[in-house]
Amino acid sequence: MMTVGPINPLNGFPVWYKDQNGLRLMLNTDPNDPFSLITPADLPNPGQPVAFPGNFPSEAFYFIADAEMEFGNVEARLVLALEGAFVNEVPVDGEQIVFGRVRIRVEGLQPGATYTVMHPYGIDEFVADQDGEINFTEDIGGMDGGNFELALNSRVFPFISWDSNIPPAAPAGYIGDPNELHEVAGSLMIDPVTNQPLNIFRIEGPGIGIGSPFQSTTPGYNPDNTIETRLFSLAGKISTISGVDVPRTTYTQSTTEHTLDVFAESDVGPQTIEVTGEGINPTILQGENGLYFARVNYVGDTPPATVTVTNVSDNPPSVKESIPTDFITAIANYNNETKILTVTASSSDEINPVTLTVLDFGMGEIEIPAGGVLELSTIMVPASITIQSTAGGTQTIPITVSGSNNPPVGVRANAGADQTVLINTTVELDGSGSTGPITSYQWTQTEGEPVNLLNANEVIAAFVAPDVETTLTFSLTVEGDGGPSTDIVVVRVLNSAQQPIANGGGNQIVQQGAVVALAGSATGEVTSYLWEQVGGPPVQLTNPNTPTASFTFPREFSTLTFRFTVSGPGGSSSDEVQISTRPDSLTVTRAEFRTRDTEWRISGTSTVLGAKMTIHIGNSLSGNILAEVSTDALGEWQYRVGPSTVQPDGTRAISIQSSSGGTLVNVPINVRN
């Protein structure tokens, strides 16, 4: 089972990640460690010690394996990593992220040909793009900060390490030396031909092995169509500490009791964990398999402001500070008959005055009376509520429910919209808008010149309008649970009617992503309206059967056409309108290429959220495409890839083209080491 360790209080990252073989690797941020892949140049202040967050690298590794094959026009690189970084690249507490990475970059291939890439964590199939390249990156983890367990869903487990059967051995305390290529072991993937573990980087495809020094020597593979290497650059430091987390420290205080309950978590191996603090005797927590607990007495009228929990088994010892809070005991019940929510709560502090408050679930914060019982008359019932204490404790509890069931939705009649018709025409009465568990329909004429109703007990009835101008009224009654229900429809009969003339309003120019109103009007006798789109990228119309409809303009540079149709007893007519937009406005806030690790870092903004940016190499939009990225919910976009097989051209510039029409050309690139 793969697991993530406690949080390191010095930097906010997990102390370790452990694979199913028990191999535990730490985040190596030491610039003086030759096996860390971190140098002093990666720190804001290279001459100063590492300190979070002010002098901390923007990225570091728990594990990284790198394999390369380069010959002729073919360049292939595989990167497998468990990486620690930050949401916005800058070290900020709360923005720590950890993700597992599988990156495959190959160029010099046959465009459109299919290639199979085998590596210690998978067998992947790709079709080379029009430039004869494969560019694949899979990053899995909590990319918005925290959620460190999400990295366990990536493929980079278990960790591979130097093959111990092949000298030299890995440096003590490490799984390998990244400065020396070496064969590896530990893959759980099985070679489909040899039935051996895939501790290899292999590419199969048409003619890729011809003339290559990396031609496959594995029996069963065609060397003309296969290249492979078993040599990897590998980095990972074995964690020597288990760490400690303190999910809860609560106190109980009464006239007869002053106790602390301390809960701690660590690795599953045997640990010695101690709690100390003012007014308490140092105490060893009991437990095993990663869970530890102690109940200790404290001296004084109040609990200590903080306690220190130390894993003394670690070298150096791991330390966590914890603030004791009271413990809230509570239950909540909603009575569905009386519509009363009853909350009963108490604090473990029976000596000092403590106020308990139900946090806002739509009614504001509500203080629980001194007796500990709160009764609320409400029809808003959340699944759970959270109670907060002025002594620091919080408790979230589910709401139980008692009382009778809610009645089902009853039947409801809908006789349709009022109508205007001409004499001697056939008229339909439509009750299909009625809802509920309907068992029968009944149409009845209640006013006007008598007519002969056909299918009076069906959803749709019909009659022939009389040959005189008049007004007719009909009722629809539906039966079923919660019924009966009745609705009225009025039919106005005219001798003649003026043909309606539609006016869809003027053409408009709007912002991309804006909500657009289509305001139509008409002259003459109108009984129905219809807006429909007849041109441009399809959109969803709201209220298309009314004079005023609306839609959200797509986030792209385009023109949309709509037809407005009005109908009445005298006929129908249509009118068309066009809605167009402006291109978005772009900025580039960073354009950087690092030669040391061939990494691109480009970012910018667009005035259109969700727009796609196409980044071209060079000083015009005709240059080769480097990447396509989309803006986020704030209109910001970024591209960060390294190592990259693509480098700046002689112009040392990039050009940007947006799917929403905006462009920026000849943006200078900052090329740095």
Side-chain angles (χ1 to χ4, degrees), residues 135-195:
N135 291 288
F136 171 79
T137 298
E138 177 185 88
D139 291 341
I140 297 178
M143 309 305 284
D144 294 326
N147 292 323
F148 298 119
E149 293 80 6
L150 293 180
L152 302 176
N153 297 324
S154 72
R155 291 194 276 171
V156 290
F157 295 99
F159 302 118
I160 57 175
S161 58
W162 272 16
D163 189 337
S164 60
N165 296 315
I166 300 175
Y174 299 85
I175 63 172
D177 178 354
N179 306 299
E180 182 175 344
L181 297 179
H182 200 283
E183 295 190 29
V184 298
S187 171
L188 297 182
M189 299 299 299
I190 300 299
D191 190 315
V193 173
T194 67
N195 207 33

Side-chain angles (χ1 to χ4, degrees), residues 128 226 244 247 268 336 345 385 398 412 433 440 466 574 590 593 602 621 634:
T226 313
V244 64
V268 295
N336 200 34
I385 58 171
R412 179 169 296 177
S440 68
S574 300
R590 183 179 193 177
F593 181 78
I602 307 172
L621 298 176
L634 299 177

Side-chain angles (χ1 to χ4, degrees), residues 283-303:
T283 304
I284 301 296
L285 278 65
Q286 65 188 25
E288 59 185 4
N289 291 327
L291 299 177
Y292 297 87
F293 168 76
R295 168 165 275 205
V296 297
N297 290 322
Y298 63 87
V299 177
D301 296 332
T302 58

Side-chain angles (χ1 to χ4, degrees), residues 338-550:
T338 63
K339 309 302 180 188
I340 297 295
L341 173 63
T342 302
V343 181
T344 304
S346 62
S347 167
S348 61
D349 191 333
E350 299 178 10
I351 294 180
N352 296 312
V354 173
T355 300
L356 302 179
T357 302
V358 177
L359 297 187
D360 185 15
F361 61 87
M363 300 180 67
E365 294 190 350
I366 305 172
E367 186 176 310
I368 298 176
V373 179
L374 172 67
E375 292 187 343
L376 295 174
S377 177
T378 180
I379 57 173
M380 292 191 303
V381 188
S384 61
I385 58 171
T386 298
I387 302 171
Q388 190 172 69
S389 165
T390 52
T394 61
Q395 187 71 275
T396 299
I397 57 172
I399 293 178
T400 62
V401 180
S402 59
S404 59
N405 297 334
N406 292 92
V409 175
V411 296
R412 179 169 296 177
N414 183 342
D418 293 343
Q419 302 183 50
T420 301
V421 301
L422 295 179
I423 61 175
N424 297 320
T425 57
T426 300
V427 183
E428 285 190 345
L429 303 176
D430 188 351
S432 59
S434 303
T435 58
I438 298 171
T439 58
S440 68
Y441 297 83
Q442 184 61 56
W443 291 95
T444 304
Q445 183 178 3
T446 59
E447 293 182 18
E449 185 78 13
V451 298
N452 181 28
L453 269 175
L454 303 176
N455 302 321
N457 59 351
E458 301 292 339
V459 176
I460 298 177
F463 66 91
V464 176
D467 58 2
V468 295
E469 289 194 351
T470 185
T471 298
L472 311 176
T473 303
F474 301 87
S475 67
L476 170 64
T477 299
V478 296
E479 297 282 356
D481 288 347
S485 174
T486 299
D487 190 30
I488 300 296
V489 62
V490 175
V491 179
R492 190 160 59 106
V493 181
L494 300 179
N495 183 53
S496 63
Q498 180 183 356
Q499 179 183 2
I501 303 299
N503 182 353
N507 297 334
Q508 301 182 52
I509 300 177
V510 301
Q511 293 287 349
Q512 297 176 36
V515 176
V516 182
L518 300 172
S521 61
T523 59
E525 190 73 36
V526 179
T527 58
S528 68
Y529 303 88
L530 176 63
W531 284 99
E532 54 187 337
Q533 185 178 0
V534 295
V539 298
Q540 182 67 45
L541 279 168
T542 301
N543 299 322
N545 300 112
T546 66
T548 303
S550 64

Side-chain angles (χ1 to χ4, degrees), residues 191 193-196 200 202 215-223 226 228-230:
D191 190 315
V193 173
T194 67
N195 207 33
Q196 297 298 311
I200 197 168
R202 176 186 292 132
Q215 268 193 338
S216 173
T217 58
T218 302
Y221 286 94
N222 184 341
T226 313
E228 62 187 24
T229 180
R230 299 180 184 275

Side-chain angles (χ1 to χ4, degrees), residues 57-256:
S58 61
E59 59 186 5
F61 297 93
Y62 292 88
F63 161 83
I64 183 169
D66 192 320
E68 296 185 16
M69 293 181 284
E70 183 175 345
F71 63 94
N73 294 327
V74 175
E75 294 184 16
R77 186 176 186 187
L78 170 72
V79 178
L80 309 167
L82 183 65
E83 182 175 347
F86 297 89
V87 174
N88 294 303
E89 303 182 13
V90 178
V92 174
D93 194 23
E95 294 191 3
Q96 295 91 338
I97 60 176
V98 176
F99 57 91
R101 165 169 288 179
V102 175
R103 172 172 285 167
I104 299 167
R105 296 279 190 267
V106 190
E107 61 182 60
L109 305 176
Q110 294 183 24
T114 299
Y115 294 85
T116 300
V117 180
M118 302 182 184
H119 54 86
Y121 297 119
I123 300 176
D124 299 304
E125 188 172 281
F126 304 96
V127 175
D129 65 18
Q130 62 184 3
D131 297 319
E133 297 182 359
I134 295 170
N135 291 288
F136 171 79
T137 298
E138 177 185 88
D139 291 341
I140 297 178
M143 309 305 284
D144 294 326
N147 292 323
F148 298 119
E149 293 80 6
L150 293 180
L152 302 176
N153 297 324
S154 72
R155 291 194 276 171
V156 290
F157 295 99
F159 302 118
I160 57 175
S161 58
W162 272 16
D163 189 337
S164 60
N165 296 315
I166 300 175
Y174 299 85
I175 63 172
D177 178 354
N179 306 299
E180 182 175 344
L181 297 179
H182 200 283
E183 295 190 29
V184 298
S187 171
L188 297 182
M189 299 299 299
I190 300 299
D191 190 315
V193 173
T194 67
N195 207 33
Q196 297 298 311
L198 270 177
N199 298 305
I200 197 168
F201 176 30
R202 176 186 292 132
I203 303 176
E204 276 190 290
I208 193 172
I210 297 174
S212 170
F214 296 97
Q215 268 193 338
S216 173
T217 58
T218 302
Y221 286 94
N222 184 341
D224 286 344
N225 296 329
T226 313
I227 59 174
E228 62 187 24
T229 180
R230 299 180 184 275
L231 298 178
F232 287 76
S233 170
L234 193 65
K237 186 174 183 179
I238 299 171
S239 177
T240 59
I241 62 173
S242 297
V244 64
D245 262 342
V246 186
R248 182 180 129 195
T249 301
T250 51
Y251 72 89
T252 301
Q253 186 164 263
S254 67
T255 56
T256 60

